[in-house]
Amino acid sequence: MKISLSHALSAAVALSLTALAAAPSAVAHEQQGPAQGAHRASIPFTAATVTAAADGSYVIEWKAPGVRKVAIEANGKVVARGGSSGKVTVSGLPAADRQWFTFDADRGHSLRLADRLIKLDGTVNFRDAGGYRTAHGHWVKMGEIYRSDALDKLTAADLAKLRRLGIRVDYDLRMSSERAAAPDRVPAGTSYVVADVLAGSDTFVTMPKTEAEAVAMMVDGEKFMVSGESAKAAYGTVFEDLVQGDGVLFHCTAGKDRTGWANAALLTALGVPRETVMSDYLASNDYRAAANAAALAHMTPEQAKVYKPLLDVRAEYLNSGFAEVSSEYGSFRAYEKEGLGLSRGELAELKRELLVG
């Protein structure tokens, strides 16, 4: 297998997307409760999720300790009611680009959520970066920041949907070889910006020969995303725009590693607990399950064994990134300042822009 990893991964992703008949079902993760000693939040919900089903229905779940009544609204009408916790299935709603639900309790502010996955014909891992609860009881807004896999297969209908979603800028985190092989398609009026994370890395040069080498390559790659000069420049560019407002999309080829660290860094900066950050990172395994299986099915068992660690996201990969933060910067706040270029004022502005409650 004498082939560069960037070409190998791009080919695998392209093959898997072609083989897909439909995107995988959305998988939502319960939000974590507040840290011990945290103040009582103005949004009383400690957990809330919306999961779209294949039949057009939606599963709504919530927890709001201490409240007596909860009403769930969609399209200006109450579609479900319950107590301090509940799980309901809502069906019969009209088709929409995204179906939004408002969670109202008998005290505190309401919460607006949708299914995290944005269903498109040309992607499998395009999702909302928000919808998570912080350790202090705030919530990361949905409908503001998006993350995705490659955009080269977007259809005209996909582009129209993204235009309606208000995507104003697309940050391409991929290497030059990936961009040349599969150039982005973006809606008219959307700015396109190259933010090449791995431009200065020699980690992804040759294909690993064993499973262990593949795992080591992913771990080393994650470390470079934290401390590599091109990675710091790329992510710094993205975060500079995140502070400015909404409508930001960042993506790589599979939407899981370079994109995964970008979102892990964003959620951590906003105060989302590490356990929740890890769940968001590992969710790529669910969203990409069919694509990855299709890619591996076209390989020999020996090749598939080496490739699988490259297609997966694993806790040890993300943990190596956070370990690199501690090793190189001493703290995540120091990484925010030195690695991402975020001043205290900019970090405060980021939270004002993206947190509610």
Side-chain angles (χ1 to χ4, degrees):
M1 292 184 285
K2 296 180 180 179
I3 182 172
S4 72
L5 180 57
S6 62
H7 283 104
L9 284 176
S10 298
V13 172
L15 176 65
S16 59
L17 287 176
T18 301
L20 277 176
S25 300
V27 177
H29 297 272
E30 180 177 301
Q31 315 312 310
Q32 305 303 310
Q36 187 174 3
H39 64 80
R40 175 169 289 185
S42 60
I43 294 177
F45 295 93
T46 60
T49 55
V50 174
T51 307
D55 64 359
S57 65
Y58 298 85
V59 177
I60 316 296
E61 297 185 66
W62 70 86
K63 291 180 181 178
V67 309
R68 293 174 299 170
K69 298 178 181 179
V70 168
I72 309 297
E73 296 183 8
N75 307 324
K77 298 179 180 180
V78 174
V79 294
R81 297 183 186 274
S84 61
S85 64
K87 179 179 180 180
V88 298
T89 298
V90 177
S91 58
L93 297 177
D97 287 341
R98 294 189 80 183
Q99 179 60 63
W100 290 90
F101 294 87
T102 301
F103 294 66
D104 282 315
D106 55 16
R107 66 169 177 82
H109 295 293
S110 61
L111 179 64
R112 185 171 181 260
L113 299 176
D115 184 13
R116 190 161 286 111
L117 183 68
I118 310 297
K119 292 187 177 180
L120 301 169
D121 295 325
T123 66
V124 297
N125 201 11
F126 194 116
R127 47 186 162 127
D128 201 305
Y132 293 113
R133 192 172 188 267
T134 74
H136 292 93
H138 306 297
W139 284 77
V140 182
K141 293 180 187 177
M142 298 192 86
E144 304 280 327
I145 311 298
Y146 301 92
R147 50 175 296 176
S148 183
D149 46 343
L151 305 179
D152 60 298
K153 292 181 173 60
L154 293 183
T155 65
D158 291 339
L159 294 174
K161 179 182 285 190
L162 296 189
R163 189 164 54 250
R164 292 192 295 272
L165 289 177
I167 304 299
R168 63 176 176 82
V169 60
D170 161 35
Y171 285 94
D172 191 341
L173 308 180
R174 301 175 300 163
M175 293 183 284
S176 60
S177 58
E178 297 168 287
R179 300 193 304 270
D184 276 7
R185 300 193 70 202
V186 296
T190 297
S191 299
Y192 172 75
V193 180
V194 172
D196 190 335
V197 173
L198 300 177
S201 173
D202 59 1
T203 301
F204 300 95
V205 176
T206 58
M207 186 68 186
K209 297 180 176 62
T210 67
E211 181 181 7
E213 287 182 6
V215 171
M217 179 176 286
M218 299 303 289
V219 168
D220 289 343
E222 195 78 21
K223 292 178 180 179
F224 184 89
M225 292 175 207
V226 172
S227 55
E229 291 303 318
S230 61
K232 290 189 290 185
Y235 290 130
T237 297
V238 175
F239 271 76
E240 183 179 5
D241 200 0
L242 291 176
V243 174
Q244 304 304 314
D246 60 1
V248 176
L249 162 66
F250 48 82
H251 81 93
C252 53
T253 294
K256 65 185 186 70
D257 301 308
R258 289 159 288 187
T259 299
W261 178 254
N263 214 52
L266 172 61
L267 295 179
T268 301
L270 293 174
V272 175
R274 180 72 59 82
E275 183 178 355
T276 307
V277 173
M278 181 64 76
S279 293
D280 176 74
Y281 174 79
L282 294 177
S284 282
N285 284 333
D286 299 312
Y287 292 113
R288 293 200 55 81
N292 291 348
L296 295 173
H298 287 78
M299 303 176 191
T300 67
E302 293 77 16
Q303 289 175 324
K305 188 175 182 180
V306 176
Y307 254 87
K308 191 175 188 305
L310 307 180
L311 300 180
D312 286 349
V313 284
R314 301 181 181 183
E316 64 185 298
Y317 302 167
L318 184 60
N319 284 337
S320 71
F322 283 115
E324 184 76 357
V325 167
S326 297
S327 174
E328 293 297 314
Y329 303 95
S331 68
F332 198 85
R333 175 62 199 122
Y335 169 66
E336 292 168 347
K337 180 180 179 180
E338 300 170 26
L340 300 178
L342 282 177
S343 68
R344 289 193 179 277
E346 288 170 328
L347 180 59
E349 181 62 24
L350 184 70
K351 291 180 177 180
R352 282 193 294 270
E353 287 286 341
L354 296 180
L355 295 181
V356 292

